[in-house]
């Protein structure tokens, strides 16, 4: 097997006395889409936030394209910034609450980090942003402010914003949970397209249908550990573990 | 009763000294303008230093917090007296700093401005902090995840949003600052209160002080109304915003 795109080894994380992640191992191949399911408090969002070091793990190793981002290549003063730069250039994230910059237009939301963090010339950043916003179906909303957009549109801007940094891996943290039901599809469609184009994706979601259809692998987490993982057909249709069965029963029962 | 009116509202005295008091008041406004611009800048610097992330800048944070706490607690008058009375004798400083006469202003002007900036920098820093902390954490997280540095995120994402949340409390600080410019009278800068006191001792009549008070009221009362308006608008935004924010 080729080198995994992302490899997590024995990830542990605690908030005060509460141990949220109790040793998690995952390998994700290039182009693979994994969906992480689990009840709230199972640690799945924290796990995702570990991968781009928003929440650095206390124990364990994270490799992105073979590079240990928890240790870095050397040690000393430059280490911290090396890790962050490396991770940011390769790992994009989309949040449940969109977190668009409310004082910037859709276009500016997508150009800001390109210009500031990557140092792209203004024209190039604008062209890239326009192209991406068109791709997520918002070519006619470039100059609108987030508050004038629907939740689904805002989330699509957020996806375009993350893609503008040319990430190799995309993390999706319950990106449809804050949306009205009728707006969920437009966001999932964009993600589905992205998956088809070969993007490596880690998706924390409650959308069982999306997981069944798009995921190469489904991971079920509970209590800070992986309870069960496998192809969607197996985990979702014939779960081996009682806890998975219970959870799916509750989710699908709606 | 007429004695009372004569003492405080003698229009003859007001009229005769109107010009001097006005010139003095313009001096207050000038001190205010310079001190406000510098204090707003210095306060932002302090607020940003206080918000530096991570373990390494801990000493910087500690010193900044100590500075802010200290200068919010000490009476400005003490600082004014310590600067004007002490700085001229610090012989290791160049003369242009010990006895500053920049832009044709007297040294007392600059001692006063310095004291006000030192103290009001601490106050405005706290207002900025309130604004910065009112910006949702997700904004910083999003900016950082997109590869922007802490400073870039502050500069382009957090601070621009934070300052829109604090015009009312900031204006209150500026109103206090304007009033506190009168304290510089104790080191003999001829601003309105000093001029009025000279009139008082010359004519044994307080009407010039009343006139000074009226000048301040004329300037500050509209500002206070603006503060009320801003607070009302902010309140409206919050109640309206909660509709959208709640997920």
């Amino acid at each position: 097997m080729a080198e995994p795109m992302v490899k997590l080894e024995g990830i542990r994380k605690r908030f005060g006395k509460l141990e949220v992640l109790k040793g998690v191992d995952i390998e994700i191949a290039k182009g693979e889409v994994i969906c992480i399911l689990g009840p709230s408090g199972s640690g799945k969002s924290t796990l995702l936030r570990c991968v781009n070091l928003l929440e650095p793990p206390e124990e364990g190793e994270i490799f992105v394209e073979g590079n240990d981002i928890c240790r870095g290549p050397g040690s000393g003063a430059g280490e911290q910034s090396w890790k962050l730069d490396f991770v940011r250039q390769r790992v994009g994230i989309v949040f449940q609450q969109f977190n668009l910059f409310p004082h910037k237009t859709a276009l500016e939301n997508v150009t800001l980090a390109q210009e500031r963090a990557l140092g792209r010339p203004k024209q190039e950043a604008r062209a890239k942003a326009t192209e991406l916003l068109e791709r997520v179906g918002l070519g006619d909303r470039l100059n609108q402010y987030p508050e004038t957009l629907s939740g689904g549109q805002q989330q699509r801007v957020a996806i375009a914003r993350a893609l503008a940094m040319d990430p190799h891996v995309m993390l999706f943290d319950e990106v449809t949970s804050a949306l009205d039901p009728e707006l969920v599809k437009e966001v999932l469609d964009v993600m589905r397209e992205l998956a088809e184009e070969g993007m490596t994706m880690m998706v924390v979601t409650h959308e069982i249908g999306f997981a069944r259809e798009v995921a190469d692998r489904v991971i079920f987490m509970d209590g800070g550990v992986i309870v069960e993982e496998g192809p969607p057909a197996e985990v979702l249709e014939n779960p081996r573990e009682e806890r998975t069965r219970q959870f799916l029963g509750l989710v699908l029962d709606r | 009763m007429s004695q009372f009116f004569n003492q405080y509202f003698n229009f003859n005295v007001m009229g005769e000294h109107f010009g001097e008091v006005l010139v003095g008041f313009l001096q207050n406004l000038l001190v205010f303008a310079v001190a406000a611009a510098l204090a707003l800048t210095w306060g932002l610097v302090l607020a940003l230093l206080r918000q530096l992330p991570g373990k390494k800048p801990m000493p910087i944070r500690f010193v900044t917090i100590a500075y802010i706490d200290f200068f919010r607690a000490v009476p400005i008058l003490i600082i004014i007296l310590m600067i004007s009375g002490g700085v001229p004798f610090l012989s290791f400083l160049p003369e242009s700093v010990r006895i500053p006469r920049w832009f044709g202003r007297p040294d007392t002007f600059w001692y006063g401005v310095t004291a006000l900036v030192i103290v009001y920098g601490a106050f405005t820093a706290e207002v900025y902090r309130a604004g910065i902390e009112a910006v949702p954490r997700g904004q910083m997280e999003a900016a950082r995840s997109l590869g922007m540095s802490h400073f870039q995120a502050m500069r382009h994402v957090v601070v621009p949003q934070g300052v829109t949340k604090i015009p009312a409390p900031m204006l209150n600080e500026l109103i206090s600052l304007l009033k506190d410019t009168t304290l510089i009278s104790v080191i003999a800068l001829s601003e309105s209160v000093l001029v009025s006191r000279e009139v008082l001792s010359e004519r044994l009549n307080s009407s010039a002080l009343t006139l000074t008070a009226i000048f301040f009221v004329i300037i500050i009362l509209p500002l206070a109304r603006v503060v009320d308006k801003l607070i009302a608008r902010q309140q409206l935004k919050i109640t309206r915003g909660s509709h959208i924010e709640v997920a």
Side-chain angles (χ1 to χ4, degrees):
Chain A
M1 189 179 150
E3 190 171 87
M5 190 71 165
V6 179
K7 186 167 147 190
L8 308 177
E9 272 181 13
I11 300 300
R12 285 175 182 276
K13 175 79 187 175
R14 55 170 67 244
F15 293 120
K17 281 190 174 163
L18 182 71
E19 193 168 30
V20 190
L21 296 174
K22 300 172 183 165
V24 176
D25 305 278
I26 302 179
E27 274 188 27
I28 301 150
K30 187 170 171 16
E32 195 179 17
V33 176
I34 66 161
C35 282
I36 305 174
L37 311 177
S40 55
S42 59
K44 53 197 193 308
S45 281
T46 306
L47 182 72
L48 212 59
R49 292 159 64 88
C50 279
V51 175
N52 81 342
L53 299 181
L54 267 182
E55 309 279 4
E58 268 122 26
E59 266 178 57
E61 308 293 323
I62 302 173
F63 298 86
V64 174
E65 297 179 325
N67 296 279
D68 188 341
I69 59 171
C70 291
R71 291 255 172 86
S75 54
E79 190 188 351
Q80 185 70 13
S81 75
W82 173 85
K83 285 189 296 191
L84 289 177
D85 287 347
F86 184 87
V87 173
R88 286 173 205 149
Q89 281 161 20
R90 284 162 185 78
V91 183
I93 185 165
V94 184
F95 301 94
Q96 181 177 359
Q97 296 294 344
F98 330 136
N99 297 347
L100 290 184
F101 308 134
H103 59 305
K104 305 266 181 198
T105 63
L107 188 75
E108 289 166 346
N109 262 278
V110 186
T111 56
L112 181 65
Q114 291 189 67
E115 289 174 28
R116 300 296 158 184
L118 297 181
R120 275 192 193 139
K122 205 177 169 109
Q123 285 309 316
E124 200 184 318
R126 280 183 69 99
K128 175 114 190 161
T130 309
E131 179 205 316
L132 283 166
L133 284 168
E134 274 165 7
R135 195 167 130 194
V136 299
L138 294 170
D140 54 344
R141 305 284 155 126
L142 299 182
N143 296 313
Q144 280 183 233
Y145 285 90
E147 63 174 1
T148 68
L149 299 172
S150 74
Q153 291 169 333
Q154 290 192 46
Q155 195 59 295
R156 285 185 279 150
V157 174
I159 293 173
R161 181 175 70 173
L163 290 175
M165 310 307 285
D166 297 320
H168 299 190
V169 184
M170 283 284 282
L171 312 175
F172 293 87
D173 187 8
E174 298 196 34
V175 293
T176 56
S177 301
L179 296 178
D180 291 335
E182 76 272 19
L183 303 176
V184 168
K185 186 173 177 299
E186 63 191 52
V187 173
L188 292 182
D189 284 346
V190 169
M191 291 166 65
R192 187 175 294 124
E193 255 176 57
L194 208 54
E196 280 161 10
E197 287 163 19
M199 176 64 79
T200 310
M201 293 163 59
M202 288 179 79
V203 184
V204 168
T205 187
H206 293 299
E207 300 290 334
I208 305 293
F210 178 82
R212 182 182 295 133
E213 190 192 335
V214 180
D216 298 306
R217 190 153 42 110
V218 171
I219 291 176
F220 177 72
M221 280 182 74
D222 193 12
V225 294
I226 292 178
V227 175
E228 182 164 357
E229 66 174 294
E234 257 174 48
V235 177
L236 297 175
E237 312 302 335
N238 286 309
R240 291 187 308 269
E241 302 289 331
E242 180 55 31
R243 270 189 288 177
T244 318
R245 211 167 297 150
Q246 270 178 1
F247 174 76
L248 289 172
L250 288 172
V251 175
L252 295 171
D253 220 21
R254 283 188 304 187
Chain B
M1 203 59 192
S2 74
Q3 212 181 4
F4 175 88
F5 270 98
N6 184 50
Q7 176 59 232
Y8 293 107
F9 297 95
N10 184 324
F11 294 117
N12 288 334
V13 173
M14 287 189 194
E16 282 166 41
H17 297 280
F18 186 89
E20 303 159 53
V21 175
L22 183 62
V23 169
F25 186 64
L26 292 178
Q27 188 77 248
N28 289 97
L29 290 182
L30 192 62
V31 170
F32 167 76
V34 176
L38 294 174
L40 286 173
T41 313
W42 177 224
L44 182 58
V45 171
L46 289 170
L48 290 174
L49 289 176
R50 188 181 179 144
Q51 302 283 333
L52 285 174
K55 282 193 188 123
K56 243 183 276 172
M58 206 148 82
I60 299 176
R61 282 201 298 269
F62 179 80
V63 169
T64 311
I65 291 168
Y67 174 102
I68 292 170
D69 286 349
F70 181 79
F71 284 108
R72 285 198 307 160
V74 177
I76 302 184
L77 195 50
I78 295 176
I79 308 295
I80 294 175
L81 291 171
M82 284 174 88
I83 289 179
S84 70
V87 170
F89 301 110
L90 299 177
S91 54
F92 58 85
L93 294 171
E95 175 154 345
S96 64
V97 174
R98 276 186 290 137
I99 306 168
R101 299 246 161 76
W102 308 322
F103 301 104
R105 296 283 122 202
D107 50 357
T108 49
F109 179 95
W110 293 112
Y111 294 144
V113 165
T114 307
L116 289 170
V117 171
I118 287 173
V119 172
Y120 273 88
F123 281 102
T124 57
E126 284 298 276
V127 179
Y128 280 120
R129 176 165 79 118
I132 288 170
E133 287 178 356
V135 177
R137 251 171 57 113
Q139 290 291 307
M140 178 55 96
E141 288 183 352
R144 297 285 274 147
S145 313
L146 287 164
M148 283 190 259
S149 67
H150 173 82
F151 182 76
Q152 286 173 333
M154 276 289 181
R155 159 96 176 68
H156 298 286
V157 176
V158 177
V159 171
Q161 292 181 61
V163 294
T164 65
K165 298 175 193 290
I166 51 166
M170 198 57 99
L171 213 45
N172 276 330
E173 294 300 338
L174 293 180
I175 288 171
S176 297
L177 172 59
L178 177 53
K179 294 201 286 186
D180 280 349
T181 57
T182 56
L183 291 171
I184 308 177
S185 61
V186 301
I187 56 170
L189 178 74
S190 356
E191 48 68 71
S192 54
V193 168
L194 186 68
V195 172
S196 309
R197 281 185 66 193
E198 280 162 3
V199 174
L200 172 62
S201 53
E202 192 184 308
R203 313 263 314 236
L204 303 179
N205 188 291
S206 303
S207 299
L209 279 169
T210 309
L211 183 61
T212 301
I214 292 170
F215 281 147
F216 275 93
V217 169
I218 289 173
I219 295 286
I220 287 174
L221 216 55
L223 288 178
R225 285 288 160 275
V226 171
V227 172
D228 292 345
K229 283 254 165 59
L230 288 171
I231 290 173
R233 213 177 65 181
Q234 197 69 28
Q235 219 58 42
L236 199 66
K237 242 190 216 163
I238 290 165
T239 39
R240 248 198 272 142
S242 66
H243 255 316
I244 306 162
E245 296 276 345
V246 168

